[in-house]
Amino acid sequence: MKAKNITTLDEFKDKHIGKAGTAKRDKFEKEYENFKVGAMKIALCVNYISDDISKNIKTIKSMISEASLKGAKCVIFSEAALTGLVNNDNAMHDLTLSFSLDDPEIKGIFEFSASCGTDVVFGLFENKDGGIYDSVVYYDHLKDLYYV
């Protein structure tokens, strides 16, 4: 017995677009397939941050894996997902929390993301050319490139 007020997707398309096999319906189905190819599932993740950076990285990798298994092609983390954000206006303290993009911890996240078939975005204190920058990095696993 059919429940009241419930319409299947096929019934909706039959009524509003046309029956399967009609020119209007075929055009709709083709355009929809093209749209699906261009769509990307994105996961927004907020990880619990501890003062143990290796634990934070392990959590980040776990969340990347989980998001990938759920179909995400890009996983986005918060500004200071690796270390937390401590605003104490002490540059020497911030230096201890900073990374170069060539550091093994960062490359490890990139490599893990690529092995899961996802891009990854996260914020970090970047140590570059003798300065510390509050940066965001986007790693594109298909091109094996990152953007800051």
Side-chain angles (χ1 to χ4, degrees), residues 4 40 51 54 70 80 92 96 98-99 101-102 106 114 119 127 133 143 147:
K4 291 183 180 181
M40 176 191 284
D51 59 358
S54 63
K70 292 181 178 179
M92 293 312 294
T96 66
S98 66
F99 292 90
L101 295 178
D102 292 324
I106 304 305
D119 295 353
N127 186 336
Y133 302 90
K143 296 180 182 174
Y147 308 92

Side-chain angles (χ1 to χ4, degrees), residues 1-20 25 28-29:
M1 180 175 170
K2 185 176 174 184
K4 291 183 180 181
N5 299 324
I6 295 179
T7 304
T8 67
L9 179 58
D10 284 332
E11 290 171 336
F12 180 86
K13 290 190 288 186
D14 286 349
K15 181 177 179 182
H16 297 282
I17 300 163
K19 298 275 184 192
R25 176 74 171 265
F28 171 83
E29 297 293 353

Side-chain angles (χ1 to χ4, degrees), residues 106-136:
I106 304 305
K107 286 190 170 219
I109 293 171
F110 293 164
E111 290 166 2
F112 185 81
S113 177
S115 74
C116 291
T118 63
D119 295 353
V120 67
V121 180
F122 58 92
L124 75 157
F125 290 124
E126 182 184 6
N127 186 336
K128 181 179 178 184
D129 301 328
I132 302 170
Y133 302 90
D134 188 2
S135 298
V136 63

Side-chain angles (χ1 to χ4, degrees), residues 54-72:
S54 63
K55 183 177 178 182
N56 296 339
I57 291 172
K58 184 177 179 182
T59 300
I60 288 168
K61 288 179 177 180
S62 174
M63 294 175 107
I64 290 170
S65 177
E66 182 179 351
S68 172
L69 290 172
K70 292 181 178 179

